[in-house]
Amino acid sequence: MSDVLKTIKVEKILICTISRPEVMNALNKEVLNSLKDLFEKARENNEIRGIILTGEGEKAFVAGADIKEFSSYGPMEAYKMSEKGQEIFSLIENFPKPVIAAVNGYALGGGCELALSCHIRIASKNAKFGQPEVNLGIIPGYGGTQRLPRIIGLGRAIELILTGKMIDSEEAFRIGLVNKVVEQNELIEESKKILNQIIEKAPIAIEMALNSIISGIEMTKEEGLKLERSNFANLFSTEDMKEGVSAFIEKRKPNFKGK
């Protein structure tokens, strides 16, 4: 694993810490490539059932993209940069296992976009969120203009993106940008607690639920319902479905095996 990502596995949870504290964990090519590598490997690793993403230190989750890295880019280089970032963040968004962003400080620009690509966001009380790209004469390029309105609504997303203002964790919770706000020292434990609640469930059902939600939101209602029907029906061929129903009838805890 790259020096810019620190990982530790706690039972079935992989905790990944973006580690560039000298630049407030800013995203550069190395971080992006390392994230892509991590998620591609974790997809195939049956010992990993969920991922927590966080940043090193108490100041920043990810304070944005590394501005020095792209300051001399022209349109073609910028297009490729955006394309690559979008590809990696879509990989996270479409990951078949739950991903929690444990936002421990500033989540600005690309950092906010990274948090948006995760399935659940838990914030520490000192966290700050924003898409300040217009202050640099650009716009969000890693999916912020698309994911933010889907999560907090069109009007609020337009305001945040056009003003470039920052909001605190309580405001982020109020508008639905984060699921929960906790003390800094409780952030990882709370994220683990939520993931453990999910990990107890049938793995294939979790995967199909994520697929139905994430893919379905991009479809028409009828297309989404068709996808739901298909995923619902396919689960009836799994051993986990039979185990879950038997456990319910027999009033015992199910023993899911991901089959």
Side-chain angles (χ1 to χ4, degrees):
M1 186 56 62
S2 165
D3 291 339
V4 298
L5 289 188
K6 296 178 179 178
T7 59
I8 181 170
K9 187 170 173 289
V10 182
E11 296 180 345
K12 297 178 181 179
I13 296 171
L14 184 68
I15 302 173
C16 172
T17 304
I18 298 172
S19 180
R20 298 186 73 214
E22 70 283 358
V23 288
M24 299 183 79
N25 304 321
L27 298 174
N28 62 1
K29 290 177 183 177
E30 187 179 2
V31 173
L32 291 172
N33 288 333
S34 298
L35 284 171
K36 181 180 181 182
D37 184 57
L38 179 140
F39 276 90
E40 286 177 343
K41 289 179 178 177
R43 177 190 288 271
E44 306 305 320
N45 188 340
N46 292 331
E47 296 299 311
I48 295 172
R49 294 278 303 279
I51 294 179
I52 296 171
L53 278 182
T54 194
E56 185 165 326
E58 297 184 356
K59 290 184 178 180
F61 172 68
V62 170
D66 195 327
I67 296 172
K68 291 181 181 178
E69 197 172 67
F70 66 78
S71 59
S72 62
Y73 281 7
M76 184 54 68
E77 292 164 308
Y79 184 92
K80 290 179 179 178
M81 173 189 172
S82 177
E83 184 176 47
K84 181 175 183 178
Q86 289 179 0
E87 174 194 350
I88 295 165
F89 286 12
S90 291
L91 173 66
I92 296 171
E93 181 179 47
N94 293 296
F95 198 64
K97 307 169 188 181
V99 182
I100 292 182
V103 183
N104 55 305
Y106 289 107
L108 305 176
C112 187
E113 291 172 297
L114 176 59
L116 291 171
S117 71
C118 297
H119 302 132
I120 295 171
R121 286 158 293 283
I122 310 299
S124 59
K125 288 187 176 181
N126 68 311
K128 305 279 188 184
F129 296 82
Q131 299 286 172
E133 287 87 349
V134 292
N135 294 321
L136 301 177
I138 56 176
I139 65 171
Y142 290 168
T145 65
Q146 303 307 301
R147 292 191 179 96
L148 192 60
R150 284 168 167 80
I151 291 171
I152 68 171
L154 185 61
R156 288 189 174 117
I158 288 174
E159 180 186 357
L160 281 180
I161 291 170
L162 298 192
T163 63
K165 70 179 182 179
M166 282 193 299
I167 60 172
D168 62 22
S169 57
E170 293 300 333
E171 177 67 3
F173 175 74
R174 188 185 72 82
I175 65 176
L177 180 54
V178 302
N179 299 71
K180 196 168 188 177
V181 178
V182 297
E183 297 288 347
Q184 173 87 243
N185 61 0
E186 298 173 358
L187 185 60
I188 298 301
E189 285 305 312
E190 184 62 30
S191 300
K192 285 163 58 180
K193 179 181 176 182
I194 293 171
L195 267 188
N196 280 321
Q197 288 176 330
I198 298 171
I199 287 170
E200 290 179 353
K201 317 306 179 194
I204 304 174
I206 295 299
E207 180 180 348
M208 291 298 100
L210 284 171
N211 175 258
S212 298
I213 296 165
I214 301 297
S215 297
I217 202 169
E218 305 295 334
M219 301 175 176
T220 65
K221 184 178 178 182
E222 286 306 314
E223 289 170 338
L225 289 170
K226 183 177 180 181
L227 174 64
E228 182 186 272
R229 286 198 302 274
S230 178
N231 285 340
F232 176 76
N234 287 338
L235 287 165
F236 277 68
S237 66
T238 65
E239 292 179 22
D240 278 353
M241 178 269 174
K242 296 175 177 62
E243 167 63 11
V245 171
S246 296
F248 179 82
I249 293 171
E250 296 165 13
K251 295 182 171 59
R252 61 175 175 82
K253 187 176 181 178
N255 179 25
F256 295 122
K257 297 180 179 179
K259 298 180 180 179

